[in-house]
Structure formats: structure tokens, C-alpha cells
Coordinates of all heavy atoms in Angstrom, one line a residue:
M1 N 97.6 72.1 144.8 CA 98.9 72.1 144.3 C 98.8 72.4 142.8 O 99.6 73.1 142.2 CB 99.6 70.8 144.6 CG 101.0 70.7 144.1 SD 102.0 71.8 145.0 CE 103.6 71.4 144.3
K2 N 97.9 71.7 142.1 CA 97.8 71.9 140.6 C 97.3 73.3 140.3 O 97.8 73.9 139.3 CB 96.8 70.9 140.0 CG 97.3 69.5 140.0 CD 96.3 68.6 139.4 CE 96.7 67.1 139.4 NZ 95.7 66.2 138.8
S3 N 96.5 73.9 141.2 CA 96.0 75.2 140.9 C 97.1 76.3 141.1 O 97.2 77.3 140.4 CB 94.8 75.6 141.8 OG 95.2 75.5 143.2
V4 N 98.0 76.0 142.1 CA 99.2 76.9 142.3 C 100.1 76.9 141.1 O 100.6 77.9 140.6 CB 99.9 76.5 143.6 CG1 101.2 77.3 143.7 CG2 99.0 76.7 144.8
I5 N 100.3 75.7 140.5 CA 101.2 75.6 139.4 C 100.6 76.2 138.2 O 101.2 76.9 137.4 CB 101.5 74.1 139.1 CG1 102.4 73.5 140.2 CG2 102.2 73.9 137.8 CD1 102.6 72.0 140.2
A6 N 99.3 76.0 138.0 CA 98.6 76.6 136.9 C 98.6 78.1 137.0 O 98.8 78.8 136.0 CB 97.1 76.1 136.8
L7 N 98.4 78.7 138.2 CA 98.5 80.1 138.4 C 99.9 80.7 138.1 O 100.0 81.7 137.4 CB 98.1 80.5 139.8 CG 98.1 81.9 140.2 CD1 97.0 82.7 139.4 CD2 97.8 82.1 141.7
L8 N 100.9 80.0 138.5 CA 102.3 80.4 138.2 C 102.6 80.4 136.7 O 103.2 81.3 136.2 CB 103.3 79.6 139.0 CG 103.3 79.8 140.5 CD1 104.3 78.8 141.2 CD2 103.7 81.2 140.8
L9 N 102.1 79.4 136.1 CA 102.4 79.3 134.6 C 101.6 80.4 133.9 O 102.1 80.9 132.9 CB 101.9 77.9 134.1 CG 102.9 76.7 134.5 CD1 102.3 75.4 134.0 CD2 104.2 76.9 133.9
A10 N 100.4 80.7 134.3 CA 99.6 81.7 133.7 C 100.2 83.1 133.9 O 100.3 83.9 133.0 CB 98.2 81.7 134.2
A11 N 100.7 83.3 135.1 CA 101.4 84.6 135.3 C 102.7 84.7 134.6 O 103.0 85.8 134.1 CB 101.7 84.8 136.8
G12 N 103.4 83.7 134.4 CA 104.7 83.7 133.7 C 104.5 83.9 132.2 O 105.2 84.6 131.5
S13 N 103.4 83.3 131.6 CA 103.2 83.4 130.2 C 102.6 84.8 129.9 O 102.8 85.3 128.8 CB 102.3 82.3 129.7 OG 101.0 82.4 130.3
A14 N 101.9 85.4 130.8 CA 101.3 86.7 130.6 C 102.4 87.8 130.4 O 102.2 88.8 129.7 CB 100.4 87.1 131.7
S15 N 103.6 87.6 131.1 CA 104.6 88.6 130.9 C 105.3 88.6 129.5 O 105.9 89.5 129.2 CB 105.7 88.3 132.0 OG 106.3 87.1 131.7
A16 N 105.0 87.5 128.8 CA 105.6 87.5 127.4 C 104.9 88.5 126.5 O 105.5 88.9 125.5 CB 105.4 86.1 126.9
F17 N 103.7 88.9 126.8 CA 102.9 89.8 126.0 C 102.9 91.2 126.5 O 102.3 92.1 126.0 CB 101.5 89.3 125.9 CG 101.4 88.0 125.2 CD1 101.2 86.8 126.0 CD2 101.6 87.8 123.9 CE1 101.1 85.6 125.4 CE2 101.6 86.6 123.3 CZ 101.3 85.5 124.0
A18 N 103.6 91.5 127.6 CA 103.7 92.8 128.2 C 104.8 93.6 127.4 O 105.8 93.1 126.9 CB 104.2 92.7 129.6
P19 N 104.5 94.9 127.2 CA 105.5 95.7 126.5 C 106.8 95.8 127.2 O 106.9 95.9 128.4 CB 104.8 97.1 126.3 CG 103.8 97.1 127.4 CD 103.4 95.7 127.6
Q20 N 107.9 95.8 126.5 CA 109.2 95.9 127.1 C 109.7 97.3 127.2 O 109.3 98.2 126.4 CB 110.3 95.1 126.3 CG 110.0 93.6 126.3 CD 111.1 92.9 125.5 OE1 111.7 93.5 124.6 NE2 111.3 91.6 125.8
Q21 N 110.5 97.6 128.2 CA 111.1 98.9 128.3 C 112.4 99.0 127.4 O 113.2 98.1 127.5 CB 111.5 99.2 129.8 CG 110.3 99.1 130.7 CD 109.4 100.2 130.5 OE1 109.7 101.3 130.0 NE2 108.1 100.0 130.7
N22 N 112.6 100.0 126.7 CA 113.7 100.2 125.8 C 114.8 100.9 126.6 O 114.9 102.2 126.5 CB 113.4 100.9 124.5 CG 112.5 100.0 123.6 OD1 112.5 98.8 123.7 ND2 111.8 100.7 122.7
S23 N 115.6 100.2 127.3 CA 116.7 100.9 128.1 C 118.0 101.0 127.3 O 118.9 101.6 127.7 CB 116.9 100.1 129.4 OG 117.3 98.8 129.1
R24 N 118.1 100.3 126.1 CA 119.3 100.3 125.3 C 119.3 101.4 124.3 O 120.1 101.4 123.4 CB 119.5 99.0 124.7 CG 119.7 97.9 125.7 CD 120.1 96.6 125.0 NE 121.2 96.8 124.2 CZ 122.3 96.2 124.2 NH1 122.5 95.2 125.1 NH2 123.3 96.4 123.4
S25 N 118.3 102.3 124.3 CA 118.3 103.3 123.2 C 119.5 104.2 123.2 O 120.0 104.6 122.2 CB 117.0 104.1 123.4 OG 117.0 104.8 124.6
S26 N 120.1 104.5 124.4 CA 121.3 105.3 124.4 C 122.5 104.6 123.8 O 123.3 105.2 123.2 CB 121.6 105.7 125.9 OG 121.8 104.6 126.7
V27 N 122.5 103.3 123.9 CA 123.6 102.5 123.3 C 123.5 102.5 121.8 O 124.5 102.7 121.1 CB 123.6 101.1 123.9 CG1 124.6 100.2 123.1 CG2 123.9 101.0 125.3
Q28 N 122.3 102.4 121.3 CA 122.1 102.4 119.9 C 122.4 103.8 119.3 O 123.0 103.9 118.2 CB 120.7 102.1 119.5 CG 120.3 100.6 119.9 CD 118.9 100.3 119.7 OE1 118.1 101.2 119.4 NE2 118.5 99.1 119.7
L29 N 122.1 104.9 120.0 CA 122.4 106.2 119.5 C 123.9 106.5 119.6 O 124.4 107.2 118.8 CB 121.6 107.2 120.3 CG 120.1 107.2 120.1 CD1 119.4 108.2 121.0 CD2 119.7 107.4 118.6
A30 N 124.6 105.9 120.5 CA 126.0 106.2 120.7 C 126.8 105.5 119.6 O 127.9 105.9 119.3 CB 126.5 105.7 122.1
A31 N 126.3 104.5 119.0 CA 127.1 103.7 118.0 C 126.7 104.1 116.5 O 126.7 103.3 115.6 CB 126.8 102.2 118.2
E32 N 126.4 105.4 116.3 CA 126.0 105.8 115.0 C 127.2 106.4 114.2 O 127.1 106.8 113.1 CB 124.9 106.9 115.0 CG 123.6 106.3 115.4 CD 123.0 105.3 114.4 OE1 123.3 105.4 113.2 OE2 122.4 104.3 114.9
S33 N 128.4 106.6 114.9 CA 129.6 107.1 114.3 C 130.7 106.2 114.6 O 130.6 105.3 115.4 CB 129.8 108.6 114.8 OG 130.1 108.5 116.1
K34 N 131.9 106.5 114.0 CA 133.0 105.7 114.3 C 133.5 105.8 115.7 O 133.9 104.8 116.3 CB 134.2 106.0 113.3 CG 135.4 105.1 113.5 CD 136.5 105.4 112.6 CE 137.6 104.5 112.9 NZ 138.8 104.8 112.1
E35 N 133.5 107.0 116.2 CA 133.8 107.2 117.6 C 132.9 106.4 118.6 O 133.4 105.9 119.6 CB 133.8 108.7 118.0 CG 134.9 109.5 117.2 CD 134.5 109.9 115.8 OE1 133.3 109.9 115.5 OE2 135.4 110.1 115.0
G36 N 131.6 106.4 118.3 CA 130.7 105.7 119.1 C 130.9 104.2 119.0 O 130.8 103.5 120.0
L37 N 131.3 103.7 117.8 CA 131.6 102.3 117.7 C 132.8 101.9 118.5 O 132.9 100.9 119.1 CB 131.8 101.9 116.2 CG 130.5 102.0 115.3 CD1 130.9 101.7 113.9 CD2 129.6 100.9 115.8
E38 N 133.8 102.8 118.4 CA 135.1 102.5 119.2 C 134.8 102.5 120.7 O 135.3 101.6 121.4 CB 136.1 103.6 118.8 CG 136.7 103.4 117.4 CD 137.6 104.6 117.1 OE1 137.7 105.5 117.9 OE2 138.2 104.5 116.0
S39 N 134.1 103.4 121.2 CA 133.8 103.4 122.6 C 132.9 102.2 123.0 O 133.1 101.7 124.1 CB 133.1 104.7 123.0 OG 131.9 104.9 122.4
L40 N 131.9 101.9 122.2 CA 131.1 100.8 122.5 C 131.9 99.4 122.5 O 131.7 98.6 123.3 CB 129.9 100.7 121.5 CG 128.9 99.7 121.8 CD1 128.2 99.9 123.1 CD2 127.9 99.7 120.6
A41 N 132.8 99.3 121.5 CA 133.6 98.1 121.4 C 134.5 98.0 122.6 O 134.7 96.9 123.2 CB 134.5 98.1 120.1
K42 N 135.1 99.0 123.1 CA 136.0 99.0 124.3 C 135.1 98.6 125.5 O 135.6 97.9 126.4 CB 136.6 100.3 124.6 CG 137.9 100.5 123.7 CD 139.0 99.6 124.2 CE 140.2 100.0 123.5 NZ 141.3 99.0 123.7
E43 N 133.9 99.1 125.6 CA 133.0 98.8 126.7 C 132.6 97.4 126.7 O 132.6 96.7 127.8 CB 131.8 99.7 126.7 CG 130.8 99.5 127.8 CD 129.6 100.4 127.6 OE1 129.8 101.5 127.1 OE2 128.5 100.0 128.0
L44 N 132.2 96.8 125.6 CA 131.7 95.5 125.5 C 132.7 94.4 125.5 O 132.5 93.3 126.0 CB 130.8 95.3 124.2 CG 129.6 96.2 124.2 CD1 128.8 96.1 122.9 CD2 128.7 95.9 125.4
N45 N 133.9 94.7 124.9 CA 135.0 93.7 124.9 C 136.3 94.4 125.0 O 137.0 94.7 124.0 CB 134.9 92.9 123.5 CG 135.8 91.7 123.6 OD1 136.6 91.5 124.5 ND2 135.8 90.9 122.5
P46 N 136.8 94.6 126.2 CA 138.0 95.3 126.4 C 139.3 94.6 125.9 O 140.3 95.2 125.6 CB 138.1 95.5 127.9 CG 137.1 94.7 128.5 CD 136.2 94.2 127.5
L47 N 139.2 93.3 125.7 CA 140.4 92.6 125.2 C 140.7 92.8 123.8 O 141.8 93.0 123.4 CB 140.2 91.1 125.5 CG 140.2 90.6 126.9 CD1 139.9 89.1 127.0 CD2 141.5 91.0 127.6
V48 N 139.6 92.8 122.9 CA 139.8 93.0 121.5 C 139.7 94.5 121.1 O 140.4 95.0 120.4 CB 138.8 92.2 120.7 CG1 138.9 92.4 119.2 CG2 139.0 90.7 121.0
G49 N 138.7 95.1 121.7 CA 138.5 96.5 121.4 C 137.8 96.7 120.0 O 137.1 95.8 119.5
F50 N 138.1 97.8 119.3 CA 137.5 98.1 118.0 C 138.4 97.4 117.0 O 139.6 97.6 116.9 CB 137.5 99.6 117.8 CG 136.9 100.0 116.5 CD1 135.5 99.8 116.3 CD2 137.7 100.5 115.5 CE1 134.9 100.2 115.1 CE2 137.1 100.8 114.3 CZ 135.7 100.7 114.1
W51 N 137.8 96.6 116.1 CA 138.5 95.8 115.1 C 137.8 96.0 113.8 O 136.7 95.5 113.6 CB 138.6 94.4 115.5 CG 139.5 93.5 114.7 CD1 140.8 93.6 114.6 CD2 139.1 92.5 113.7 NE1 141.3 92.7 113.7 CE2 140.3 92.0 113.2 CE3 137.9 92.0 113.3 CZ2 140.3 91.0 112.2 CZ3 137.9 91.0 112.4 CH2 139.1 90.5 111.8
D52 N 138.4 96.7 112.9 CA 137.9 97.0 111.6 C 139.0 96.9 110.6 O 139.5 98.0 110.1 CB 137.2 98.4 111.5 CG 136.5 98.6 110.2 OD1 136.2 97.7 109.5 OD2 136.2 99.8 110.0
P53 N 139.5 95.7 110.2 CA 140.7 95.6 109.4 C 140.5 96.2 107.9 O 141.5 96.6 107.3 CB 140.9 94.1 109.3 CG 139.6 93.5 109.6 CD 138.9 94.4 110.5
M54 N 139.3 96.2 107.4 CA 139.1 96.7 106.1 C 138.7 98.2 106.1 O 138.6 98.8 105.0 CB 138.0 95.9 105.4 CG 138.3 94.5 105.1 SD 137.0 93.5 104.4 CE 136.7 94.4 102.9
G55 N 138.5 98.8 107.2 CA 138.3 100.2 107.3 C 136.9 100.6 106.8 O 136.7 101.7 106.3
L56 N 135.9 99.7 106.9 CA 134.6 100.0 106.4 C 133.9 101.1 107.1 O 133.0 101.8 106.6 CB 133.7 98.7 106.4 CG 134.2 97.6 105.4 CD1 133.3 96.4 105.6 CD2 134.1 98.1 104.0
S57 N 134.2 101.3 108.4 CA 133.5 102.3 109.2 C 133.9 103.7 108.8 O 133.2 104.7 109.1 CB 133.8 102.1 110.7 OG 135.1 102.2 110.9
E58 N 135.0 103.8 108.1 CA 135.5 105.1 107.6 C 134.9 105.5 106.2 O 135.0 106.6 105.8 CB 137.0 105.2 107.5 CG 137.7 105.0 108.8 CD 139.2 104.8 108.7 OE1 139.7 104.8 107.6 OE2 139.8 104.7 109.7
G59 N 134.2 104.5 105.6 CA 133.7 104.8 104.3 C 132.5 105.7 104.3 O 131.9 106.0 105.3
N60 N 132.1 106.1 103.1 CA 130.9 107.0 102.9 C 130.1 106.3 101.7 O 130.2 106.8 100.6 CB 131.4 108.4 102.6 CG 130.2 109.3 102.5 OD1 129.1 109.0 102.9 ND2 130.4 110.6 102.1
F61 N 129.4 105.3 102.1 CA 128.6 104.6 101.0 C 127.5 105.5 100.5 O 126.7 106.1 101.3 CB 128.0 103.3 101.6 CG 129.1 102.3 102.1 CD1 128.7 101.2 102.7 CD2 130.4 102.5 101.8 CE1 129.6 100.2 103.2 CE2 131.3 101.6 102.3 CZ 130.9 100.5 102.9
Y62 N 127.4 105.5 99.2 CA 126.3 106.2 98.5 C 126.2 107.7 98.9 O 125.1 108.3 98.8 CB 124.9 105.5 98.8 CG 124.9 104.0 98.6 CD1 124.8 103.2 99.6 CD2 125.1 103.5 97.3 CE1 124.8 101.8 99.4 CE2 125.2 102.2 97.1 CZ 125.0 101.3 98.2 OH 125.1 99.9 98.0
D63 N 127.3 108.3 99.3 CA 127.3 109.7 99.7 C 126.3 110.1 100.6 O 125.6 111.2 100.5 CB 127.3 110.6 98.4 CG 128.5 110.4 97.5 OD1 129.6 110.2 98.1 OD2 128.4 110.5 96.3
M64 N 126.0 109.3 101.6 CA 124.9 109.5 102.6 C 125.5 109.9 104.0 O 124.8 110.2 104.9 CB 124.1 108.3 102.8 CG 123.4 107.8 101.5 SD 122.0 108.9 101.1 CE 120.9 108.5 102.4
G65 N 126.8 109.9 104.1 CA 127.4 110.3 105.4 C 127.8 109.0 106.2 O 127.5 107.9 105.9
E66 N 128.5 109.4 107.3 CA 129.1 108.3 108.2 C 128.0 107.5 108.9 O 128.0 106.3 109.1 CB 130.1 108.9 109.2 CG 130.8 107.9 110.0 CD 131.8 108.6 110.9 OE1 132.4 109.6 110.5 OE2 131.9 108.1 112.0
E67 N 127.0 108.3 109.4 CA 125.9 107.6 110.2 C 125.1 106.6 109.3 O 124.8 105.5 109.7 CB 125.0 108.6 110.8 CG 125.6 109.4 111.9 CD 124.6 110.5 112.5 OE1 123.5 110.5 112.0 OE2 125.0 111.2 113.3
A68 N 124.9 107.0 108.0 CA 124.1 106.1 107.1 C 125.0 104.9 106.8 O 124.5 103.8 106.6 CB 123.7 106.9 105.9
T69 N 126.3 105.1 106.6 CA 127.2 104.0 106.3 C 127.2 103.0 107.5 O 127.1 101.8 107.2 CB 128.6 104.5 106.1 OG1 128.6 105.4 105.0 CG2 129.6 103.4 105.8
V70 N 127.3 103.5 108.7 CA 127.3 102.6 109.9 C 125.9 101.8 110.0 O 125.9 100.6 110.2 CB 127.6 103.3 111.2 CG1 127.3 102.5 112.4 CG2 129.0 103.8 111.2
G71 N 124.8 102.5 109.7 CA 123.5 101.9 109.7 C 123.4 100.9 108.6 O 122.8 99.8 108.8
F72 N 123.9 101.2 107.4 CA 123.8 100.2 106.3 C 124.6 99.0 106.6 O 124.2 97.9 106.4 CB 124.4 100.9 105.0 CG 124.5 99.9 103.9 CD1 123.4 99.5 103.2 CD2 125.8 99.4 103.6 CE1 123.6 98.6 102.1 CE2 125.9 98.5 102.5 CZ 124.8 98.1 101.8
L73 N 125.8 99.1 107.2 CA 126.6 98.0 107.5 C 126.0 97.2 108.6 O 126.0 95.9 108.6 CB 128.0 98.4 108.0 CG 128.9 99.0 106.9 CD1 130.2 99.6 107.4 CD2 129.2 98.0 105.8
R74 N 125.3 97.8 109.6 CA 124.7 97.1 110.7 C 123.5 96.3 110.1 O 123.3 95.1 110.4 CB 124.2 98.1 111.7 CG 123.4 97.4 112.9 CD 123.0 98.4 113.9 NE 124.1 99.0 114.6 CZ 124.3 100.3 114.7 NH1 123.4 101.1 114.2 NH2 125.3 100.8 115.3
Q75 N 122.7 96.9 109.2 CA 121.5 96.2 108.7 C 122.0 95.1 107.7 O 121.4 94.0 107.7 CB 120.6 97.2 107.9 CG 120.0 98.2 108.8 CD 119.1 97.5 109.8 OE1 118.4 96.6 109.5 NE2 119.1 98.0 111.0
S76 N 123.0 95.3 107.0 CA 123.5 94.2 106.1 C 124.1 93.0 106.9 O 123.9 91.9 106.5 CB 124.5 94.7 105.1 OG 125.7 95.1 105.8
E77 N 124.7 93.3 108.0 CA 125.2 92.2 108.9 C 124.1 91.4 109.4 O 124.1 90.2 109.5 CB 126.1 92.8 110.0 CG 126.7 91.7 110.9 CD 127.6 92.3 111.9 OE1 127.8 93.5 112.0 OE2 128.1 91.5 112.7
I78 N 123.0 92.1 109.9 CA 121.8 91.3 110.4 C 121.2 90.5 109.3 O 120.8 89.3 109.5 CB 120.8 92.3 111.0 CG1 121.4 93.0 112.2 CG2 119.5 91.7 111.3 CD1 120.6 94.1 112.8
K79 N 121.1 91.1 108.1 CA 120.4 90.4 107.0 C 121.2 89.1 106.6 O 120.7 88.0 106.4 CB 120.3 91.3 105.8 CG 119.8 90.6 104.5 CD 119.7 91.6 103.3 CE 121.1 92.0 102.9 NZ 121.1 92.8 101.7
H80 N 122.6 89.3 106.5 CA 123.4 88.1 106.1 C 123.4 87.1 107.2 O 123.5 85.9 106.9 CB 124.8 88.6 105.7 CG 124.8 89.3 104.4 ND1 124.9 90.7 104.4 CD2 124.8 88.9 103.2 CE1 124.9 91.1 103.1 NE2 124.8 90.0 102.4
G81 N 123.3 87.5 108.4 CA 123.3 86.5 109.5 C 122.0 85.7 109.5 O 122.0 84.5 109.7
R82 N 120.9 86.4 109.1 CA 119.6 85.6 109.0 C 119.6 84.7 107.8 O 119.1 83.6 107.9 CB 118.5 86.6 108.9 CG 118.2 87.4 110.2 CD 117.1 88.4 110.0 NE 116.9 89.1 111.2 CZ 116.2 90.2 111.3 NH1 115.7 90.8 110.3 NH2 116.0 90.8 112.5
V83 N 120.2 85.1 106.7 CA 120.3 84.2 105.6 C 121.2 83.0 105.9 O 120.8 81.9 105.6 CB 120.9 85.0 104.4 CG1 121.2 84.0 103.2 CG2 119.9 86.0 103.9
A84 N 122.3 83.2 106.6 CA 123.1 82.1 107.0 C 122.4 81.1 108.0 O 122.6 79.9 107.8 CB 124.4 82.6 107.7
M85 N 121.6 81.7 108.9 CA 120.9 80.8 109.8 C 119.8 80.0 109.0 O 119.6 78.8 109.3 CB 120.2 81.6 110.9 CG 121.2 82.1 111.9 SD 120.4 82.9 113.3 CE 120.1 84.5 112.6
A86 N 119.2 80.6 108.1 CA 118.2 79.9 107.3 C 118.8 78.8 106.4 O 118.3 77.7 106.3 CB 117.4 80.9 106.4
A87 N 120.0 79.1 105.9 CA 120.7 78.1 105.1 C 121.1 76.9 106.0 O 121.1 75.8 105.5 CB 122.0 78.8 104.5
F88 N 121.5 77.2 107.2 CA 121.9 76.1 108.1 C 120.7 75.2 108.4 O 120.8 74.0 108.4 CB 122.6 76.6 109.4 CG 123.0 75.6 110.3 CD1 124.1 74.8 110.0 CD2 122.3 75.3 111.5 CE1 124.5 73.8 110.9 CE2 122.6 74.3 112.3 CZ 123.8 73.5 112.0
V89 N 119.6 75.8 108.7 CA 118.4 75.1 109.0 C 118.0 74.3 107.7 O 117.6 73.1 107.8 CB 117.2 76.0 109.4 CG1 115.9 75.3 109.4 CG2 117.5 76.6 110.7
G90 N 118.1 74.8 106.5 CA 117.8 74.1 105.3 C 118.8 72.9 105.1 O 118.4 71.8 104.7
Y91 N 120.0 73.1 105.5 CA 121.0 72.0 105.4 C 120.6 70.9 106.4 O 120.7 69.7 106.1 CB 122.4 72.5 105.7 CG 123.5 71.5 105.8 CD1 124.0 70.9 104.6 CD2 124.0 71.0 107.0 CE1 124.9 69.9 104.7 CE2 124.9 70.0 107.1 CZ 125.4 69.5 105.9 OH 126.4 68.5 105.9
C92 N 120.2 71.3 107.6 CA 119.8 70.3 108.6 C 118.6 69.5 108.2 O 118.5 68.3 108.4 CB 119.6 70.9 110.0 SG 121.1 71.5 110.7
V93 N 117.6 70.2 107.5 CA 116.4 69.5 107.1 C 116.6 68.6 105.9 O 116.0 67.6 105.8 CB 115.3 70.6 106.8 CG1 114.1 70.0 106.1 CG2 114.9 71.4 108.1
Q94 N 117.6 69.0 105.1 CA 117.9 68.2 103.9 C 118.3 66.9 104.3 O 118.2 65.9 104.2 CB 119.0 68.9 103.1 CG 119.3 68.3 101.8 CD 120.5 69.1 101.2 OE1 121.1 69.9 101.8 NE2 120.7 68.8 99.9

């Protein structure tokens, strides 16, 4: 019984190191423009849809084009989310 459990645990932990298949690459490429963001928002949340009250997706930051603006906004959202999570952990540790 112990050997069966050990075998199952070993097989389950080995899958953590296996390479993953990137099946979401088409979703990432579709959301590089405002039209892609709108269609992705309708697909993921049909009740709210696309919501951009400040019109940031229409901007052209640093004269790099719409795709670069969407990429910049996506990366800055990830960065600020990570900073907020770290701040919360610091608050809990304090």
C-alpha cells in the first residue's frame, strides 16, 4: 500500500517539471489591438463586455502604435498587481 502511494506521488510530482503546451497563444495574439480586446472581453465576460472608461486603449503611448500601447498597459497592470501583492504580504508580516 505504501509503495503504491509513493509511486502515485512520484508520478504526480514529475508532471510539475514537464513542459507545458501553449494553447493560449492565439488568445494572446488576438488581444494586441482594441478590436481584439473588445472581442476577448465579450468572450470572457459577456455581462460586462469591454470596459475602458478612460479610453486608454485608444491612446498611442510614446508614438509606438496601438499594439505597443496595449502591451505596455498589460505589462504595467501585471507589475502593479505584483507590487500590491508584495505590499499586502509585507502588511501581514508586519
